[in-house]
Amino acid sequence: MEQLWELFIGFFRASNLAFGGGPAIIPLIKTEVVNNGWMSIGEFSEGLAIASSLPGPIAALLSGFVGYRVSGWLGVLAALLGALALTSILVIVLTDFLMRN
């Protein structure tokens, strides 16, 4: 359970400190993944190559890959929530605010 929380916090931190889109988030995710000992640099590079070859946002693809390698399907859920939760909530709240005015 603690590892799921660490996955959530790691991806939350990386995705909310990045500015500049997908390519800007890759070094932050690499730092979180390697410093926490979830993967080696080589394993991360292989995951980045796989994620880059698939369609979709790189943050979501990398978080799913790392989450699965670390803790299986619950790890995917924790990492994806960490990477996407805050921005999704902000979009919903701001859209509601704009629709009311």
Side-chain angles (χ1 to χ4, degrees), residues 4-100:
L4 295 175
W5 179 248
E6 289 176 6
L7 272 170
F8 176 83
I9 294 297
F11 279 93
F12 184 84
R13 192 173 26 230
S15 69
N16 291 302
L17 292 177
F19 182 78
I25 198 171
I26 295 170
L28 296 172
I29 291 176
K30 180 182 101 24
T31 300
E32 290 290 338
V33 169
V34 173
N35 287 351
N36 285 318
W38 296 329
M39 291 181 176
S40 68
I41 293 175
E43 291 171 323
F44 179 80
S45 297
E46 290 175 5
L48 178 61
I50 292 168
S52 295
S53 68
L54 298 172
I58 194 74
L61 295 169
L62 275 176
S63 62
F65 177 78
V66 172
Y68 187 77
R69 292 285 300 253
V70 173
S71 292
W73 290 108
L74 287 176
V76 171
L77 183 64
L80 274 173
L81 282 174
L84 304 175
L86 181 63
T87 52
S88 299
I89 291 169
L90 286 174
V91 166
I92 291 168
V93 169
L94 290 174
T95 302
D96 183 56
F97 175 75
L98 289 173
M99 295 302 289
R100 290 176 191 246

